[in-house]
Amino acid sequence: AQRVTQPEKLLSVFKGAPVELKCNYSYSGSPELFWYVQYSRQRLQLLLRHISRESIKGFTADLNKGETSFHLKKPFAQEEDSAMYYCALSGRSGAGSYQLTFGKGTKLSVIP
Amino acid sequence: DSGVTQTPKHLITATGQRVTLRCSPRSGDLSVYWYQQSLDQGLQFLIQYYNGEERAKGNILERFSAQQFPDLHSELNLSSLELGDSALYFCASSVAPRGGGNTIYFGEGSWLTVV
């Protein structure tokens, strides 16, 4: 079974402060991890994925297999970063298929 | 624009009724996924199809069913609707059902309100 845990439902930070959105996962194989962002109940947009090791909108995330974590970080928060953030894991669900499992999400609120 | 198209965008219906939500995947994508997003349950995976065949099943109720047609569009049928079925239903698509960097793209969602 695969599971994604985002321990914080809500995270409030001041503009210009560092941001860290936590994500822990449980999966027996080698996981693929993603961060999605959702603005005001619009569609989910892919923010980044661990295999790309890229930085999007100043956000980065590093897969730590030892701690089974994939925390999302940004050094300086901007007001436009206020949104819902979902961590997701793509893992084998059986019969050769893969399933994308989401955490419950963290709402990031950036205070001006 | 992700390239995944969902209709209708908004739908209001009464309890006990049946509705059909439609999804057109991105051009070239063979796999379609359905998710339900409600305030109390978050994002719940419902079902996945690949090239017309069911590939994975999540927390989908027996009152719900889905299919993927030869032209790869998909429909999610919700019947005997209850107030608790009110949610945002997302469709997503990807090139293949496997991992290996497979990225899933989401549509705008269909807002269902059951009254």
Side-chain angles (χ1 to χ4, degrees):
Chain A
Q2 54 198 52
R3 190 168 62 245
V4 177
T5 304
Q6 293 179 251
E8 303 140 327
K9 287 182 87 169
L10 174 64
L11 181 65
S12 296
V13 300
F14 285 101
K15 178 181 173 181
V19 176
E20 183 178 50
L21 300 170
K22 291 183 168 46
C23 172
N24 289 91
Y25 67 90
S26 173
Y27 181 63
S28 56
S30 186
E32 288 183 71
L33 286 148
F34 304 81
W35 277 99
Y36 282 83
V37 60
Q38 186 182 30
Y39 300 99
S40 302
R41 300 290 273 186
Q42 297 176 17
R43 69 176 176 86
L44 277 79
Q45 301 176 42
L46 178 66
L47 186 59
L48 51 81
R49 48 184 182 168
H50 89 270
I51 60 169
S52 302
R53 299 189 63 82
E54 56 197 341
S55 174
I56 303 292
K57 299 183 180 181
F59 285 98
T60 59
D62 289 315
L63 176 60
N64 186 323
K65 290 187 177 180
E67 295 183 358
T68 60
S69 68
F70 188 56
H71 302 328
L72 183 69
K73 300 177 183 179
K74 184 170 183 177
F76 308 104
Q78 303 297 317
E79 289 180 63
E80 56 264 29
D81 296 330
S82 295
M84 197 75 177
Y85 291 81
Y86 290 94
C87 181
L89 181 154
S90 177
R92 185 183 291 272
S93 63
S97 68
Y98 283 72
Q99 181 173 317
L100 190 65
T101 300
F102 285 88
K104 291 203 177 290
T106 298
K107 183 174 182 178
L108 175 64
S109 177
V110 180
I111 305 163
Chain B
D1 183 8
S2 67
V4 179
T5 305
Q6 289 188 247
T7 57
K9 285 192 170 21
H10 300 274
L11 188 58
I12 301 175
T13 190
T15 54
Q17 295 299 305
R18 171 191 169 96
V19 299
T20 297
L21 309 179
R22 184 189 164 99
C23 169
S24 294
R26 292 189 327 150
S27 177
D29 284 0
L30 299 178
S31 197
V32 169
Y33 311 76
W34 286 98
Y35 285 83
Q36 179 194 56
Q37 185 179 40
S38 57
L39 285 173
D40 55 344
Q41 294 290 326
L43 266 167
Q44 297 281 320
F45 168 68
L46 296 178
I47 198 163
Q48 177 199 358
Y49 281 83
Y50 175 69
N51 207 18
E53 293 187 5
E54 182 183 305
R55 290 300 295 262
K57 220 168 187 176
N59 300 320
I60 187 166
L61 300 172
E62 286 192 13
R63 300 183 286 109
F64 297 180
S65 64
Q67 54 185 325
Q68 187 180 27
F69 295 87
D71 67 351
L72 302 176
H73 91 271
S74 177
E75 292 181 355
L76 178 67
N77 301 296
L78 315 174
S79 61
S80 303
L81 286 167
E82 302 174 359
L83 296 177
D85 298 328
S86 296
L88 185 54
Y89 290 85
F90 282 111
C91 172
S93 73
S94 64
V95 171
R98 297 183 57 80
N102 187 31
T103 298
I104 297 176
Y105 295 90
F106 283 78
E108 299 276 349
S110 291
W111 275 102
L112 173 66
T113 302
V114 182
V115 297

